[in-house]
Amino acid sequence: MKFYLWIAYRLLFSRQILFGGSAPLSFVGLVLGVAALVSSMAVMSGYEETLKNAMTDVTGDIQVVRRGKLNDDWPAFTKKLTEIDPRIQAMARFGYAEAVLARQGQVSGVLFQGVELIDLKKVLKLDQRVKSGVLDLTTSPTGQASVAIGQGLAKRFKLSVGEKIYVVVPLSTPFDGSGFRRQSKEFVVKAIMDFGKNDWNERLVLGDLKSLQQLTEIGDRYTGAFVKLKNRNESSASSLLLSEKLGYGFSVMDWNDVNRNLFEAVKIERAVIFFVVFIIVIVAAFNMSSTLYVFIRQKFSDIAILKTLGFSQQKIRIVFMGQGLMVGAAGVLVGYILGYLFCLGFMFLQKYYSLISGSVYKIDQIQIQLRLLDLLIIGFSTIAVCLIATYSPALRGSRIEVIEGLKDG
């Protein structure tokens, strides 16, 4: 086999192939097709993983919320959940309220979420999402409460760490359920964060649970719990189990449920993009096939000599299909390198330019991810197409008669 590949190599890397016809352009097209596949799959994989991390970092593996009313007994609730599913590793309770953020005449609707930071750090990974300041939601000795806000909200209100804001919530009046009164509280911004999703960066205000309870006058009650599992990939099975055991009175969502439609769309788009871009590889491979047809016509005499030396039709086919294997392998290798450079270029451009619209794609930054499985699929598919495209000219070359070849030579 090494001998056959050596002959294929000597015939392939000849002046007629390297500098004649459309062979160089076909090879460039093959390389660009592989590079485009590598970079597009890396972007799609990175988008999916970035969105997953945003879900689990900010909302946990699972959210359990009581429908229609608030919870009040936290120890009993945690005990109940762990008895239902031993895979639960940690939990943190939270509450939220629709509110209005006001500062210097500007107002905006926000979601004010109260958490217990000590328990929260066991469940969520918010520390790594701090862009400026420190994630500290404690109340100062002077009674000044602290909050963390999303970077989109900070940009819109031109807020920086240390500045003060007012959070206003509407509360129903005691004797008239249709009437509302205003309740407000002053907070100091202790951290500006990237919550991972554009919606959260534009609306989410994170504060201490006690501050939320005082602001909304709900006592020691809370809305629900963030749940962390030992294995994130078991969240669907765990959420189904919790939902069955807790009943209709509770809403249970895992990280995939929060954006299920978006994750399903990503899977479909991955497949569509792969097949669309793979057309470039197919066209380049079959263009190389036409070049080999011309090359074989020029090498009739060499093929005839190989046959006089005892080469059978099968061995001649192996020689020419070895050329397709070499072209495919070289195109894959160079395409991998060029695709990686494309990924680096994408990371550089998105750092300084707004390549992705957060309002459309939910996130405005993607961490590129090169998956080994994607690279293997691209490599094997490209080499397979090159071998298929080479088979027909190889078959034509193997059927040449010795007399015909010597006569043309």
Side-chain angles (χ1 to χ4, degrees), residues 234-247:
E234 296 179 349
S235 58
S236 295
S238 180
S239 65
L240 182 61
L241 176 62
L242 290 172
S243 182
E244 290 176 351
K245 297 296 183 180
L246 292 174

Side-chain angles (χ1 to χ4, degrees), residues 137-409:
L137 305 180
T138 58
T139 302
S140 67
T142 59
Q144 184 72 66
S146 306
V147 292
I149 63 173
Q151 58 185 4
L153 201 59
K155 183 178 180 180
R156 193 194 318 168
F157 281 82
K158 298 179 181 179
L159 287 167
S160 58
V161 174
E163 294 188 300
K164 297 178 180 179
I165 59 173
Y166 280 92
V167 175
V168 184
V169 296
L171 300 177
S172 59
T173 56
F175 304 106
D176 184 7
S178 62
F180 292 92
R181 58 189 174 88
R182 184 181 64 184
Q183 180 86 324
S184 64
K185 186 176 179 64
E186 185 184 64
F187 294 89
V188 60
V189 177
K190 282 294 185 73
I192 295 175
M193 309 185 63
D194 178 11
F195 290 114
K197 280 185 61 180
N198 185 69
D199 297 346
W200 295 338
N201 285 333
E202 294 286 342
R203 294 193 68 236
L204 187 58
V205 176
L206 197 65
D208 185 61
L209 180 60
K210 290 189 180 300
S211 297
L212 174 71
Q213 291 169 340
Q214 293 171 1
L215 184 63
T216 55
E217 299 179 357
I218 60 173
D220 194 36
R221 293 179 296 170
Y222 58 95
T223 304
F226 294 129
V227 178
K228 179 177 177 60
L229 302 177
K230 297 175 183 178
N231 186 353
R232 181 178 73 176
N233 295 326
E234 296 179 349
S235 58
S236 295
S238 180
S239 65
L240 182 61
L241 176 62
L242 290 172
S243 182
E244 290 176 351
K245 297 296 183 180
L246 292 174
Y248 181 76
F250 289 85
S251 171
V252 182
M253 293 189 301
D254 62 66
W255 58 266
N256 190 41
D257 291 330
V258 177
N259 277 290
R260 181 175 296 276
N261 292 338
L262 194 56
F263 283 121
E264 293 296 329
V266 169
K267 292 179 182 178
I268 296 173
E269 287 172 5
R270 278 175 60 86
V272 171
I273 290 175
F274 180 87
F275 285 110
V276 169
V277 179
F278 194 62
I279 293 175
I280 300 174
V281 176
I282 296 174
V283 171
F286 279 90
N287 195 17
M288 182 66 71
S289 172
S290 65
T291 303
L292 285 177
Y293 263 115
V294 177
F295 171 72
I296 289 171
R297 183 66 184 83
Q298 295 172 346
K299 294 295 181 179
F300 272 9
S301 59
D302 294 331
I303 296 171
I305 292 172
L306 289 175
K307 283 197 169 186
T308 58
L309 293 175
F311 275 66
S312 64
Q313 288 189 6
Q314 182 182 4
K315 292 178 180 179
I316 296 294
R317 283 199 299 271
I318 291 175
V319 168
F320 286 106
M321 291 193 70
Q323 292 183 343
L325 179 64
M326 289 180 182
V327 171
V332 167
L333 180 60
V334 179
Y336 280 169
I337 298 172
L338 186 60
Y340 179 70
L341 294 177
F342 283 170
C343 292
L344 293 180
F346 176 82
M347 293 293 290
F348 175 81
L349 290 175
Q350 77 167 352
K351 183 178 180 181
Y352 296 101
Y353 302 97
S354 299
L355 297 182
I356 303 172
S357 174
S359 59
V360 177
Y361 298 102
K362 305 299 182 183
I363 55 178
D364 52 17
Q365 291 286 327
I366 293 177
Q367 294 298 320
I368 294 296
Q369 186 180 55
L370 289 169
R371 293 180 178 175
L372 178 61
L373 180 60
D374 290 340
L375 295 178
L376 291 176
I377 292 175
I378 292 169
F380 282 123
S381 301
T382 301
I383 292 174
V385 167
C386 289
L387 288 174
I388 293 172
T390 312
Y391 181 77
S392 183
L395 185 63
R396 172 72 178 90
S398 66
R399 290 177 176 176
I400 295 174
E401 299 294 337
V402 176
I403 295 177
E404 180 186 358
L406 293 176
K407 182 176 63 177
D408 290 344

Side-chain angles (χ1 to χ4, degrees), residues 14-201:
S14 61
R15 184 176 297 274
Q16 293 96 327
I17 290 291
L18 293 178
F19 303 104
S22 61
L25 292 177
S26 301
F27 183 74
V28 170
L30 185 67
V31 169
L32 289 176
V34 173
L37 278 173
V38 169
S39 56
S40 60
M41 291 300 100
V43 170
M44 294 302 296
S45 299
Y47 176 78
E48 185 177 11
E49 192 64 25
T50 302
L51 197 57
K52 284 181 182 179
N53 290 335
M55 297 295 105
T56 55
D57 288 354
V58 180
T59 65
D61 297 333
I62 297 174
Q63 292 182 58
V64 182
V65 177
R66 191 166 188 176
R67 301 179 191 269
K69 59 184 298 187
L70 299 174
N71 289 311
D72 49 15
D73 193 341
W74 175 240
F77 187 59
T78 57
K79 182 180 179 181
K80 184 177 182 180
L81 293 183
T82 50
E83 287 177 351
I84 293 174
D85 194 345
R87 290 173 292 188
I88 295 176
Q89 188 176 33
M91 286 177 281
R93 61 175 179 165
F94 70 92
Y96 62 80
E98 293 288 342
V100 174
L101 187 149
R103 180 178 181 268
Q104 296 180 354
Q106 288 182 285
V107 294
S108 177
V110 296
L111 181 67
F112 184 61
Q113 182 170 282
V115 296
E116 291 181 315
L117 196 57
I118 296 177
D119 291 336
L120 195 71
K121 290 185 176 181
K122 302 175 185 177
V123 180
L124 308 183
K125 299 177 181 177
L126 292 176
D127 285 329
Q128 64 188 23
R129 295 193 168 273
V130 177
K131 290 299 181 180
S132 60
V134 179
L135 186 58
D136 179 12
L137 305 180
T138 58
T139 302
S140 67
T142 59
Q144 184 72 66
S146 306
V147 292
I149 63 173
Q151 58 185 4
L153 201 59
K155 183 178 180 180
R156 193 194 318 168
F157 281 82
K158 298 179 181 179
L159 287 167
S160 58
V161 174
E163 294 188 300
K164 297 178 180 179
I165 59 173
Y166 280 92
V167 175
V168 184
V169 296
L171 300 177
S172 59
T173 56
F175 304 106
D176 184 7
S178 62
F180 292 92
R181 58 189 174 88
R182 184 181 64 184
Q183 180 86 324
S184 64
K185 186 176 179 64
E186 185 184 64
F187 294 89
V188 60
V189 177
K190 282 294 185 73
I192 295 175
M193 309 185 63
D194 178 11
F195 290 114
K197 280 185 61 180
N198 185 69
D199 297 346
W200 295 338
N201 285 333

